[in-house]
Amino acid sequence: MPQNEYIERHTKLHGRRLDHEERVRKRAAREGHKQSENAQNLRGLRAKLYAKQRHHQKIQMKKAIKKHEERNVHGAAAEKEPANPIPSYLLDRANPTTAKALSSQIKNKRAEKAARFSVPIPKVRGVSEEEMFRVVKTGKKTAKKGWKRVVTKPTFVGPDFTRRPVKYERFIRPMGLRYKKANVTHPTLNVTVQLPILGVKKNPSNPLYTQLGVLTKGTIIEVNVSDLGIVTTSGKIAWGRYAQITNNPEVCRHSRFGTSASSICFQRYNAC
């Protein structure tokens, strides 16, 4: 059982108090008194932070009220008995219009869809090839050519990875910089667990880094979340979820467990 779900489990087993709904209603009714008391008694920095929070809440509430009013606005009603006959292509113009309602619904759906796949770090510093690779000159015949490169950043290669023959190997990924797990932080539960990495979805710096499985800040990875017990809408257990790395994995070289990441869907991933 995941952490922070003991209350839900107790509720499922033993139910709630008989006056639970009434207590919830009274608690919600007392929120206004509590807010008024805080606004009058808080001082200093706490007062400024509380005022900023209330200001943001009021703005969101006014926006919601405005959208609700726009949804209910209708155009002019049609005349009961028009004096002159109206062409067929003009009959719909006299009906009450709900264009604002439709446009607001479409905008809300688009915003929800964009928020679902929004990443925690939208802008990432690019990593150049000079910083990513180091030239290697091995052997007597290839000492002057130097066409091999060693990856200096942490990478993920997968469980079934085998190196190519030395003669044909172009990029070398050191074993000491290969990560297999990530410390995953759930955004709503604030619970951190260690989960295996399934693959690298996208490295925003370069498509070549994505192919090599390089883990840098801002990289989108896929993590195995089957142990968390997350269930999809169809009732099946979720296998993998995407996440974005939020730290610099190469800084935590003392640990071999993985990198630190944050979610773009439902999870948030961190690792050292």
Side-chain angles (χ1 to χ4, degrees):
M1 182 180 65
Q3 295 181 5
N4 298 338
E5 292 188 1
Y6 302 105
I7 298 177
E8 288 79 359
R9 183 173 181 271
H10 183 274
T11 302
K12 291 178 180 179
L13 292 177
H14 307 287
R16 299 182 182 274
R17 293 169 54 116
L18 297 178
D19 59 342
H20 172 73
E21 288 76 12
E22 185 67 15
R23 288 164 61 89
V24 171
R25 185 191 65 81
K26 289 184 177 180
R27 189 182 301 115
R30 289 193 298 267
E31 283 295 325
H33 299 281
K34 184 64 176 177
Q35 292 174 356
S36 176
E37 182 182 356
N38 291 337
Q40 295 178 26
N41 298 328
L42 290 179
R43 297 291 184 272
L45 181 59
R46 290 186 178 180
K48 292 182 180 179
L49 295 176
Y50 184 76
K52 185 177 180 181
Q53 178 185 1
R54 288 290 298 155
H55 179 67
H56 181 70
Q57 292 176 357
K58 290 179 181 179
I59 290 176
Q60 297 299 326
M61 184 174 59
K62 289 182 179 179
K63 287 183 179 180
I65 293 174
K66 187 177 180 181
K67 288 182 180 179
H68 185 72
E69 291 177 352
E70 288 179 355
R71 183 183 63 182
N72 297 330
V73 169
H74 298 284
E79 297 180 2
K80 294 181 180 180
E81 295 180 358
N84 299 323
I86 302 176
S88 60
Y89 59 87
L90 295 179
L91 291 175
D92 293 336
R93 292 193 178 183
N95 296 334
T97 176
T98 58
K100 291 185 178 180
L102 294 176
S103 63
S104 61
Q105 291 177 2
I106 293 173
K107 289 179 180 178
N108 292 338
K109 289 183 179 179
R110 288 179 180 175
E112 291 177 359
K113 186 176 181 181
R116 181 184 177 187
F117 296 99
S118 61
V119 294
I121 306 177
K123 296 182 180 180
V124 184
R125 182 185 68 87
V127 182
S128 62
E129 293 188 0
E130 290 78 7
E131 183 182 356
M132 179 65 64
F133 303 116
R134 178 170 55 86
V135 180
V136 174
K137 298 180 180 180
T138 59
K140 296 181 179 179
K141 295 183 179 179
T142 59
K144 297 181 180 180
K145 296 180 180 179
W147 52 277
K148 289 192 176 184
R149 299 291 184 271
V150 174
V151 181
T152 60
K153 304 290 183 181
T155 57
F156 172 77
V157 296
D160 301 331
F161 171 75
T162 56
R163 291 182 60 179
R164 299 185 64 182
V166 179
K167 184 177 180 180
Y168 303 104
E169 189 176 30
R170 171 75 189 277
F171 298 99
I172 302 173
R173 286 166 281 190
M175 296 245 340
L177 292 176
R178 295 181 189 176
Y179 289 164
K180 298 181 180 180
K181 295 184 179 180
N183 293 327
V184 183
T185 304
H186 198 286
T188 56
L189 298 179
N190 292 328
V191 178
T192 302
V193 292
Q194 194 176 91
L195 301 177
I197 301 174
L198 296 178
V200 177
K201 180 67 176 178
K202 181 179 180 181
N203 192 314
S205 299
N206 196 329
L208 176 62
Y209 303 162
T210 305
Q211 183 180 0
L212 294 175
V214 180
L215 303 175
T216 57
K217 187 174 183 179
T219 303
I220 306 298
I221 62 175
E222 188 176 4
V223 186
N224 185 0
V225 296
S226 58
D227 294 339
L228 295 180
I230 299 176
V231 182
T232 60
T233 55
S234 60
K236 298 180 180 180
I237 297 178
W239 173 257
R241 283 289 183 270
Y242 293 140
Q244 187 181 35
I245 298 175
T246 57
N247 72 336
N248 293 320
E250 64 270 13
V251 177
C252 302
R253 293 188 179 182
H254 61 277
S255 175
R256 290 288 302 279
F257 293 116
T259 178
S260 191
S262 186
S263 84
I264 63 174
C265 282
F266 306 103
Q267 263 61 42
R268 192 172 154 200
Y269 305 105
N270 293 332
C272 252

